Amino acid sequence: MSAAMASGALRVLLTGAAGLVGQGVALACQRSPRVANLTALVRHPGSLNGSGSELIVPDFLRIEERQDVLSGFDACFYCAGAPPVGTVEAEYRRVTLDTTLAVARAWAAANPQGCFLYVSGAGADARSRLMPLRVKGETEQALQALPVRRVMLRPGGVRPVEGTGTRHGLLKPLYWGGAPLMKLAGAIAPSLVTSNLALGQAMIALAGREHPPATVECADINRIAVDLRDRLS
């Protein structure tokens, strides 16, 4: 564990900052006294709202060529991915598996004392008959070989908090119309629904642990986020 991490001052690299999950995670980082520096790994400038800097790499699949700019981080919060609705398997696999591994391997090589935290999904299983869950499971398996601490977070439904939302046209009506129900479901059944902000809070707490769990399910994401908020209040 790095000295910065031991002191609670995390230097975080965030992928997927413009996505629904990434927006909430970025917000959690920007609000947290435990995060000293937030850098978004982006393909195009302007993806990160609020405080923080951007590291522009147009092609994540070739990121090993830029490994020199990846050093100096305590944690990587990997929130990028393709929507399971409306994405064909070849594209879903390229974004979810190939791109994730390219970034993860380059980042781990540059930050051997760091912690890689991957937002997967509930039910991820390499043996699943459902394509998105199968590819997510294969990605988890591959990430377990990283020579750094790594955590797989498996949220169920992810509710966007105020000021955040999805960019995908097919999903916008679903989130807009279902937001009140998702909030209620999260309160009643925390094992099924979390928020994108709670995901970020849980990632911050887990990144600071010397021995974090390998896999964190939805209910534990909510519990860890509440524990962190209670300690900081």
Side-chain angles (χ1 to χ4, degrees):
M1 181 181 297
S2 69
M5 219 167 183
S7 68
L10 295 172
R11 298 162 297 184
V12 174
L13 181 69
L14 168 66
T15 69
L20 183 148
V21 170
Q23 291 173 50
V25 172
L27 190 61
C29 290
Q30 289 159 350
R31 292 178 176 178
S32 176
R34 293 191 173 190
V35 177
N37 177 268
L38 173 64
T39 301
L41 178 65
V42 300
R43 294 180 178 87
H44 310 285
S47 298
L48 179 65
N49 292 324
S51 60
S53 59
E54 293 182 335
L55 175 58
I56 302 171
V57 177
D59 186 356
F60 286 6
L61 286 171
R62 300 179 61 181
I63 196 169
E64 75 279 358
E65 300 172 2
R66 301 286 309 280
Q67 187 171 309
D68 58 313
V69 299
L70 292 177
S71 62
F73 293 100
D74 302 298
C76 179
F77 293 172
Y78 201 95
C79 306
V85 178
T87 306
V88 299
E89 181 169 354
E91 175 65 8
Y92 192 83
R93 182 174 293 276
R94 184 186 70 82
V95 174
T96 303
L97 179 60
D98 299 341
T99 304
T100 302
L101 292 183
V103 173
R105 288 166 176 163
W107 185 88
N111 302 278
Q113 303 302 315
C115 185
F116 188 91
L117 297 99
Y118 173 64
V119 178
S120 181
D125 187 339
R127 300 165 297 179
S128 177
R129 294 182 179 180
L130 299 177
M131 182 275 291
L133 299 183
R134 182 173 64 254
V135 176
K136 286 278 192 180
E138 292 174 8
T139 304
E140 286 190 4
Q141 284 186 348
L143 290 174
Q144 293 296 347
L146 292 177
V148 293
R149 288 171 297 129
R150 60 268 179 196
V151 181
M152 313 297 143
L153 293 99
R154 294 178 173 174
V158 178
R159 175 179 63 84
V161 298
E162 184 176 356
T164 68
T166 181
R167 301 172 298 164
H168 300 286
L170 290 174
L171 299 178
K172 283 183 179 181
L174 174 64
Y175 283 106
W176 181 81
L181 290 177
M182 291 185 75
K183 187 172 184 179
L184 178 62
I188 297 174
S191 63
L192 300 178
V193 178
T194 189
S195 72
N196 54 0
L197 181 65
L199 260 170
Q201 292 166 334
M203 293 173 96
I204 292 167
L206 290 163
R209 295 185 184 180
E210 187 172 0
H211 301 291
T215 303
V216 182
E217 303 291 346
C218 194
D220 289 325
I221 291 170
N222 287 319
R223 177 185 57 78
I224 293 168
V226 169
D227 289 346
L228 178 66
R229 292 196 297 268
D230 288 346
R231 285 198 298 271
L232 296 178
S233 62

